[in-house]
Amino acid sequence: MSVDTPRRTFAIISHPDAGKTTLTEKVLLLGGGIRSAGTVKGKKSGKFATSDWMEIEKQRGISVTSSVMQLLYNDVQINILDTPGHQDFSEDTYRTLTAVDTAVMVIDSVKGIEAQTLKLFKVCRMRGIPILTFINKLDREGKEPLDLLSEIEETLEMDTYPMNWPVGMGKRLKGIYSIPDDTVEIYNDSHEREIIPYKEESVLQDYEREALEEEIMLLEEAGNEYSHEKVQNGTLTPVFFGSALSNFGVQSFLDQFVKLAAPPQPRKASGESVPPESPQFSGFIFKIQANMNPNHRDRIAFLRVCSGQFDRGMEVTLSRTGKKMKLNQSHSFFASDRETVESAKPGDIVGLYDSGNFQVGDTIVGGGERLQYEEMPQFPPEKFAKVTAKNALKHKQYHKGIEQLVQEGTIQLYKTPYFEDYIIGAVGELQFQVFEYRMKNEYKVDIEFQHMTHELARWVTKGKVSDDMTDSRKMLVNDQQGRAVLLFENDFALRWFSDKHPDVELSTGWDILE
Ligand code: G4P
């Protein structure tokens, strides 16, 4: 693909089973058949993509890892970043969101917005990037479209603007009416695309027309006005109805997507806004993935290019350490396939071979200024466990394994003062299981967990804390950067502490979640 082609980089977020994989497959197929879409995740096809190394995923049928896909559509290069659907890996999804310019939210029309994904949707909303909504499974008897819009508006505190409107649903589904075009896309069994001007359309019964016209009138009177600016700053989401499985409404969605999705945006580094046009090459690592393919026992660091141009073999500096290196091994991705990438531009994702130099959040720059993109925000963990190696003689592999898995962002690590006991923190239980599995399989270390009852982590931002503050309900630890963190059993213990120590200021480490 040419470096001159405009880029649109996005990720899909959804609750598991809402239809993210199906939609991704259909979208890829529309990309002029650059590659077959059957390789996205292959739940059914029997092909496994990037993550087939991980039994845990196969057993549970969830996508733990993210991969990157590309397609060319209407002369736009679209980069899709896959995200794990399961809520236990929200942190991973969040990090992926830092690397995109647009998000697509897929909602199951039968279920609406599901509680476990609400937090993730909210986080996405707070990034201030355009969010396009695809309400899926219109071929099923779902919630009323107007109710779905209100649900989005109320739970996510953002305006909605329907781009199309369903005529019937489930067995009664006749089509979708395109509001901007005044056309109807007919739903038919052959799944052939059939678009007819509304006035000429003859498939709809009188009562269907009446119902549709009434709803459109209601939307015109009581609905929101369209504002491109609001779409761009993520306060208004254009909503599309369709059925990914029936390939219905997917192309109409993609046609609009290329118009509405944001181009690569300026990003903050070292306190300044770096525009993509800036000649100096820069990018940051948002994900590190080990053993993506059992045939390559290595790590791949996923780099989002933010400015300038990336050329294979170029000399770059790792801003955190000042280390200079040549990036010879760079890949672009399509699920399990890797292709060597010669050059990349802002918006692109490049996979870099990593022998242990990189960590999540690292900035890489070409010659010139040593920029540092903003730190990756962490999800405050909610589950903690003390961890030890079952066999003390394996301490070398144990430490190496922990160090690498922490660099990858698989889990968060804390240490107690003096004794330096290892405490790992996670957002969800599955992260512990992935950690245990990988320690055993990749580093040959059996580990033992001692689950803790603590549920809250608070970073100490002001005031003095000391080791004697540790008691049965709270514990003082240090994070990877040596910052003091207090772990509390529950809200009560936190409030009790705050009342007793008004001089100590605490933060979730990530204020936007508050
Ligand atoms: P996910 O990646 O968000 O987890 O969802 P995925 O696409 O895997 O879809 C989850 C299930 O919903 C799948 O069925 C899929 O076929 C179905 N599905 C997706 N889009 C639609 C749609 O528009 N209408 C209907 N009726 N179903 C849809 P499954 O039986 O769980 O899996 P499979 O065995 O069919 O793969």
Side-chain angles (χ1 to χ4, degrees), residues 490-513:
N490 48 33
D491 249 341
F492 176 79
L494 168 63
R495 264 181 283 133
W496 192 82
F497 176 88
S498 295
D499 285 348
K500 223 175 145 204
H501 302 277
D503 52 312
V504 177
E505 268 180 29
L506 300 172
S507 145
T508 55
W510 185 22
D511 295 336
I512 61 168
L513 253 194

Side-chain angles (χ1 to χ4, degrees), residues 14-22 41 43-44 136-137 139-140 243-245:
S14 68
H15 194 272
D17 278 345
K20 183 178 59 149
T21 311
T22 314
K41 189 163 70 178
K43 253 196 210 165
K44 228 183 166 182
N136 192 27
K137 306 198 185 180
D139 57 315
R140 289 213 182 141
S243 164
L245 191 63

Side-chain angles (χ1 to χ4, degrees), residues 28-201:
L28 286 170
L29 278 176
L30 288 166
I34 286 175
R35 318 258 165 86
S36 123
T39 49
V40 178
K41 189 163 70 178
K43 253 196 210 165
K44 228 183 166 182
S45 64
K47 280 187 190 169
F48 286 94
T50 52
S51 39
D52 66 343
W53 52 273
M54 194 179 274
E55 286 296 322
I56 203 164
E57 179 190 13
K58 280 196 244 167
Q59 285 161 9
R60 290 169 193 273
I62 49 171
S63 177
V64 178
T65 53
S66 308
S67 60
V68 181
M69 291 151 274
Q70 287 175 357
L71 71 142
L72 190 64
Y73 187 77
N74 286 356
D75 296 325
V76 174
Q77 179 180 322
I78 301 175
N79 300 317
I80 310 177
L81 277 60
D82 195 13
T83 58
H86 198 282
Q87 50 162 340
D88 280 13
F89 302 106
S90 302
E91 191 172 35
D92 204 28
T93 303
Y94 186 72
R95 287 193 291 250
T96 299
L97 283 174
T98 63
V100 302
D101 303 297
T102 304
V104 170
M105 188 163 77
V106 176
I107 295 173
D108 183 332
S109 68
V110 183
K111 296 183 175 150
I113 295 182
E114 293 164 82
Q116 300 100 307
T117 29
L118 182 61
K119 189 157 113 185
L120 195 60
F121 287 175
K122 276 193 175 163
V123 162
C124 188
R125 154 91 177 77
M126 284 163 179
R127 286 197 61 76
I129 56 174
I131 303 176
L132 274 58
T133 303
F134 188 86
I135 298 186
N136 192 27
K137 306 198 185 180
L138 210 54
D139 57 315
R140 289 213 182 141
E141 211 57 53
K143 294 188 179 183
E144 283 300 323
L146 280 170
D147 292 343
L148 286 162
L149 295 191
S150 320
E151 201 175 312
I152 297 171
E153 298 207 345
E154 279 160 26
T155 53
L156 300 177
E157 291 165 32
M158 69 194 303
D159 291 345
T160 58
Y161 184 84
M163 302 296 287
N164 59 26
W165 200 252
V167 184
M169 63 169 88
K171 288 201 174 64
R172 295 172 293 109
L173 176 64
K174 283 291 184 64
I176 36 176
Y177 169 72
S178 162
I179 296 174
D181 301 339
D182 194 28
T183 52
V184 183
E185 189 169 341
I186 306 293
Y187 181 70
N188 56 32
D189 289 339
S190 69
H191 299 167
E192 290 282 320
R193 199 156 179 243
E194 189 184 352
I195 298 175
I196 306 172
Y198 180 64
K199 286 185 187 66
E200 291 169 22
E201 192 287 320

Side-chain angles (χ1 to χ4, degrees), residues 198-259:
Y198 180 64
K199 286 185 187 66
E200 291 169 22
E201 192 287 320
S202 60
V203 178
L204 301 190
Q205 306 287 333
D206 283 348
Y207 74 91
E208 288 167 331
R209 286 177 165 267
E210 260 168 45
L212 173 67
E213 283 168 25
E214 208 171 285
E215 282 182 323
I216 298 295
M217 213 156 73
L218 197 73
L219 285 171
E220 273 167 10
E221 277 167 19
N224 301 301
E225 253 179 61
Y226 181 79
S227 148
H228 190 67
E229 195 189 327
K230 282 187 163 183
V231 174
Q232 295 305 305
N233 65 27
T235 53
L236 180 144
T237 179
V239 178
F240 300 81
F241 289 87
S243 164
L245 191 63
S246 325
N247 205 359
F248 181 62
V250 177
Q251 190 170 344
S252 311
F253 164 73
L254 199 56
D255 284 340
Q256 292 297 325
F257 171 87
V258 288
K259 294 183 196 155

